[in-house]
Amino acid sequence: MKFTLKWLKEHLDTNADVETIARTLTMIGLEVEHIEDRARDLAPFTIGYVVEAVQHPNADKLRVCKVDTGQGVVQVVGGAPNARTGMKGVFAPVGSFIPGTRLDLKKGVIRGVDSNGMLCSMREMGLGQDHEGIIDLAADAPVGQSFAAYMGYDDPVFEIK
C-alpha cells in the first residue's frame, strides 16, 4: 500500500515529520518498507532563468550561459543543444549531488571558461532517460523556486508492506 504524507495529514491530526510518522506506523504494526522523498533528493535544484547563452569561445559544441538563480547570476558551461537565452531550466549549484550520474558537482574550468553549476537534463535529475538537452520549463516557472515543489515532488510517499 502506498500513500502520501499530504493524504495522511488530511486524515490524521498531526504535525509530525516523516521519520516520526514512519517510526509510529512501525510501532503500531505497519511495516514501512520504503519512503520516497523526492523533495529531499532534489533539494539543491532550483528554477533558473538563462539571461544569456552564447557559443563557447574554445569549443564548437559548448554554450556559455549566464543563469539567474534567484540568488544571483552565475556562469554555467554546458553542451546542451537547446540552451538558449530566455529559457527557464533546472539549475544545480556547485556542491549538488547529481542523482542520474551519481556525481558531486564541482566548480570547474571547461576549455578555459569558468563553470559554477549546471543546467540539468531529465536523465541527470534521475527522472527519465531523456538526455537530448536540458529540461525546458514553462515561461511562467518562478525563478529561484525549488524544482521539486514546482513539479509537485514535495510530498513524500510511504510504502507499507
Side-chain angles (χ1 to χ4, degrees):
M1 170 177 29
K2 291 184 180 184
F3 55 85
T4 66
L5 179 62
K6 182 179 177 181
W7 179 88
L8 183 65
K9 288 188 174 190
E10 286 175 5
H11 298 283
L12 298 175
D13 185 20
T14 183
N15 289 321
D17 63 16
V18 172
E19 290 77 21
T20 302
I21 291 171
R23 276 194 311 276
T24 304
L25 289 170
T26 301
M27 288 175 15
I28 65 170
L30 298 172
E31 184 180 340
V32 177
E33 197 166 78
H34 178 69
I35 301 170
E36 181 180 22
D37 189 354
R38 287 184 173 175
R40 181 187 63 228
D41 298 339
L42 302 177
F45 304 95
T46 60
I47 297 170
Y49 173 72
V50 180
V51 176
E52 178 184 68
V54 297
Q55 184 65 44
H56 190 293
N58 303 317
D60 291 339
K61 294 187 178 184
L62 296 177
R63 308 276 291 157
V64 179
C65 299
K66 298 217 184 308
V67 180
D68 179 354
T69 66
Q71 297 181 346
V73 176
V74 298
Q75 182 170 278
V76 173
V77 176
N82 66 328
R84 66 187 183 287
T85 300
M87 75 175 296
K88 291 185 179 174
V90 180
F91 172 73
V94 170
S96 301
F97 175 74
I98 308 300
T101 59
R102 308 208 43 82
L103 296 173
D104 291 314
L105 185 58
K106 297 178 180 163
K107 181 178 179 176
V109 177
I110 301 172
R111 309 276 314 269
V113 176
D114 288 340
S115 185
N116 300 293
M118 73 183 288
L119 293 166
C120 302
S121 70
M122 291 295 281
R123 186 172 77 187
E124 289 159 340
M125 296 295 295
L127 300 173
Q129 293 305 312
D130 186 5
H131 193 62
E132 294 298 313
I134 55 179
I135 297 170
D136 193 350
L137 298 173
D140 64 351
V143 174
Q145 180 181 355
S146 157
F147 172 69
Y150 176 74
M151 293 298 291
Y153 296 150
D154 57 344
D155 194 10
V157 177
F158 292 81
E159 185 172 349
I160 306 295
K161 189 171 183 179

